[in-house]
């Protein structure tokens, strides 16, 4: 176990070094709600209660964010992003290892490797850590702690005690509700595979024990939510159960799961990713039935894992975070079988190169947009700060379109304009009374 942990630490470290290399010299701006809580952190009475609804829905994430804001550990520095990216990678590698060891190991092994083999499984793992469509979690300060949930799910899978499973699932649920369905599904995916391939009935005792642990963890989570709601003012999100909404959300969830996207779909890159997946499945070792079962599970399991996102009535890619993680985990199992072949070396090199092209290209697009928006805001802030310092108190400043010149990203929606301007004012130590008028 210690050797396995060291290997995962090394691979997660290598993935993080690639991330650092790709973002070297860049900075990411705060995003939307980040400004609301960054402003609250300047209040001397700032406490956990300031998170209100978020504290009730996601208590552990609120605690982590409170600590980061209280001690200014995650303001305009990239170090926090590097840390959470590393933890995300570490948890993801742990889940892929657990899953690939149990998905009928014989189906994941090709012919015995020859001495001349050059491409192994590890480069594919590093690329999977760089999956480019997690921008609303990994690259948003308020959402970055959600990545800890992947670590908790990995710890849950490796736990032998029912009580430790309850603990890790409860921690994951307290971070973000997107982990509720994946926590139930993950241990049963190998059983589902064995049933579909060999008609092997799952172990009833195992199913019962995990289901009980899941119900206990979910019960503890709702009890905590209820207790917090008594003392903390909160509002509930509206859910839409209409058939028209459900159909539109099905389409949106499929897009979020199976296209390369960043506020729009990039169809060329999406088609290239599908080509990588189909090629890996085609050369997957074993009979055709195994390949078809893997293809079916790749389509169905991540969609089911993100089912809770069908009811929300707003666009939120982070809501399908749990489903995307299951997609990445199953892709890892497919790539392991493909990479284990002793033949098709040229094909493996081509597939890995194409995967790198897709994921790195899209990641660099996202990083460039975020870095450009940071520079645009920095230029604007310099001019605004000069106006704030020179105006006579009490002063009134008429602000233009704050989001002008920003590339498409969830940086400055109108509902955070006032919070953003007040945050800029306080961050630069300007204490005079200023009224910001927006036109």
């Amino acid at each position: 176990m210690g050797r396995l942990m060291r290997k995962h630490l090394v691979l997660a470290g290598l993935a993080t070094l690639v991330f650092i290399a790709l973002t070297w010299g860049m900075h990411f701006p705060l995003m939307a709600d980040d400004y609301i809580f960054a402003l609250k952190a300047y209040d001397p009475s700032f406490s956990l209660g300031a998170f209100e609804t978020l504290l009730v829905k996601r208590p552990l994430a609120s605690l982590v964010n409170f600590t980061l804001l209280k001690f200014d550990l995650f303001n305009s520095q990239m170090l926090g992003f590097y840390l959470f990216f590393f933890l995300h990678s570490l948890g993801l590698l742990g889940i892929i290892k657990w899953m690939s060891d149990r998905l009928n190991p014989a189906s994941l092994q090709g012919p015995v490797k020859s001495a001349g083999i050059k491409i192994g499984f590890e480069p594919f793992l590093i690329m999977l850590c760089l999956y480019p469509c997690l921008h609303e979690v990994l690259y948003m300060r308020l959402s970055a702690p959600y990545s800890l949930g992947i670590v908790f799910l990995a710890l849950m899978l490796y736990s032998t005690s029912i009580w430790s499973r309850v603990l890790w699932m409860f921690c994951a649920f307290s971070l973000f509700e997107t982990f509720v369905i994946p926590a139930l599904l993950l241990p049963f995916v190998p059983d589902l595979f064995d049933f579909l391939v060999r008609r092997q009935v799952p172990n009833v005792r195992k199913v019962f024990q995990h289901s009980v642990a899941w119900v206990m963890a979910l019960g503890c989570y709702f009890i905590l939510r209820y207790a917090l709601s008594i003392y903390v003012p909160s509002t509930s999100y509206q859910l839409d159960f209409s058939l028209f909404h459900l159909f539109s959300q099905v389409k949106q969830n499929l897009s979020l799961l199976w296209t390369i996207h960043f506020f729009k779909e990039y169809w060329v890159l999406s088609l290239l990713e599908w080509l990588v997946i189909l090629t890996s499945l085609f050369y997957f070792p074993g009979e055709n039935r195994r390949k078809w079962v893997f293809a079916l599970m790749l389509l169905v399991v991540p969609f089911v894992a993100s089912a809770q996102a069908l009811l929300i009535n707003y666009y939120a890619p982070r809501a399908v975070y749990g489903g995307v993680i299951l997609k990445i985990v199953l892709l890892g199992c497919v790539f392991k079988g493909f990479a284990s072949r002793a033949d098709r070396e040229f094909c493996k090199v081509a597939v890995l190169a194409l995967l790198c092209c897709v994921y790195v290209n899209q990641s660099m697009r996202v990083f460039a947009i975020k870095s450009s928006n940071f520079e645009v805001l920095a230029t604007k802030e310099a001019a605004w700060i000069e106006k704030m310092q020179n105006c006579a108190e009490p002063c009134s400043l008429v602000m233009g379109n704050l989001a002008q010149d920003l590339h498409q990203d969830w940086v400055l929606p109108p509902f955070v304009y006032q919070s953003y301007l007040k945050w800029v004012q306080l961050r630069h130590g300007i204490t005079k009374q200023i009224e910001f008028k927006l036109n």
Side-chain angles (χ1 to χ4, degrees), residues 329-355:
V329 168
L330 290 174
L331 283 181
C333 296
V334 172
F335 291 148
K336 179 176 181 179
F338 175 55
S340 71
R341 298 183 64 108
D343 56 353
R344 307 293 178 183
E345 194 64 33
F346 175 79
C347 186
K348 283 190 283 185
V349 173
V351 166
L352 179 60
L354 192 55
L355 186 68

Side-chain angles (χ1 to χ4, degrees), residues 93-108:
L93 292 170
I95 297 176
I96 292 175
K97 170 63 178 174
W98 185 93
M99 188 68 70
S100 62
D101 283 350
R102 287 161 178 79
L103 268 177
N104 195 357
S107 70
L108 301 179

Side-chain angles (χ1 to χ4, degrees), residues 36-37 40 47-59 62 228-229 231-235:
I36 297 174
F37 295 99
K40 290 182 177 183
S47 67
L48 266 174
F51 287 86
E52 299 179 348
T53 298
L54 283 179
L55 178 60
V56 175
K57 290 175 64 68
R58 300 158 196 167
S62 298
L228 290 171
S229 67
Y231 302 101
V232 180
S234 63
T235 56

Side-chain angles (χ1 to χ4, degrees), residues 172-194:
F173 301 164
S174 299
L175 278 168
F176 196 13
E177 56 271 22
T178 192
F179 299 119
V180 171
I181 300 178
L184 177 64
L185 291 180
L186 272 170
F188 299 144
V189 171
D191 297 319
L192 176 63
F193 180 80
D194 285 339

Side-chain angles (χ1 to χ4, degrees), residues 34 102 118 165 195 222 237 328 350 354 365 378 380 383 398:
D34 290 347
R102 287 161 178 79
K118 296 180 176 63
R165 286 194 166 218
F195 176 76
F222 279 115
Y237 293 122
I328 298 172
L354 192 55
R365 187 198 312 273
K380 289 186 174 186
V398 179

